[in-house]
Amino acid sequence: MKSSDILLGKLNTEFKTVSAMIEIYCKKNHHSEALCEECQQLMDYAEVRLDRCPYGENKPTCNTCPIHCYKPEPKEQMRLVMRFSGPRMLLHHPILAIRHLLSEKRTVADKPQPNASNRHIRLKNGNKK
């Protein structure tokens, strides 16, 4: 499970959940200990999308979000990863899985607050990384 250098708070926890799911998927389907190039690209893409999420720290889970920020191809890849890894998360990372399930129950604001994205806050604070 990978942690992000650029994401803060709940977004970093969300990234840990996504990275754990991708690792489970890659290990079982691509039969590799380390992430293959395709899965690494998907993880990098997910990190960028989380960084730029207009909801910022109040980000809902992707399946309940009214804004669809993934392009069609990575969206389909992530759907396959989550469908495969979701049930297995309870065995491998139970706390992350339960947190994710609970966050799906939260209500979603129709419109995000302006300038709430992690990227906007990071750049405002002078962290260009």
Side-chain angles (χ1 to χ4, degrees):
M1 172 175 44
K2 185 178 172 188
S3 185
S4 174
D5 295 334
I6 60 172
L7 298 174
L8 306 169
K10 291 179 186 176
L11 290 174
N12 195 26
T13 303
E14 181 84 13
F15 181 70
K16 286 179 184 177
T17 303
V18 168
S19 68
M21 289 179 140
I22 293 172
E23 287 172 5
I24 291 169
Y25 179 84
C26 190
K27 188 174 188 178
K28 298 286 184 187
N29 290 286
H30 300 148
H31 310 292
S32 60
E33 287 301 314
L35 287 180
C36 67
E37 186 177 334
E38 180 183 342
C39 290
Q40 184 60 52
Q41 287 176 352
L42 182 61
M43 189 179 298
D44 295 341
Y45 183 77
E47 184 177 30
V48 170
R49 297 301 357 151
L50 284 169
D51 185 42
R52 295 180 180 182
C53 178
Y55 283 97
E57 286 285 317
N58 298 320
K59 179 195 174 311
T61 57
C62 292
N63 65 339
T64 60
C65 187
I67 300 171
H68 301 290
C69 59
Y70 275 65
K71 291 179 181 175
E73 186 179 321
K75 183 178 181 177
E76 180 62 20
Q77 282 180 294
M78 190 60 77
R79 188 187 70 74
L80 293 172
V81 166
M82 290 190 172
R83 177 168 237 155
F84 179 85
S85 301
R88 291 161 178 82
M89 282 291 288
L90 282 171
L91 294 173
H92 295 278
H93 302 284
I95 294 173
L96 288 175
I98 291 169
R99 266 192 196 156
H100 185 71
L101 290 172
L102 290 175
S103 66
E104 284 183 344
K105 302 297 180 196
R106 287 186 311 180
T107 58
V108 180
D110 291 338
K111 188 174 179 185
Q113 296 292 322
N115 302 324
S117 75
N118 185 76
R119 182 175 187 264
H120 180 79
I121 293 169
R122 192 169 41 82
L123 293 176
K124 187 175 83 173
N125 292 338
N127 185 355
K128 305 249 184 215
K129 190 174 183 182

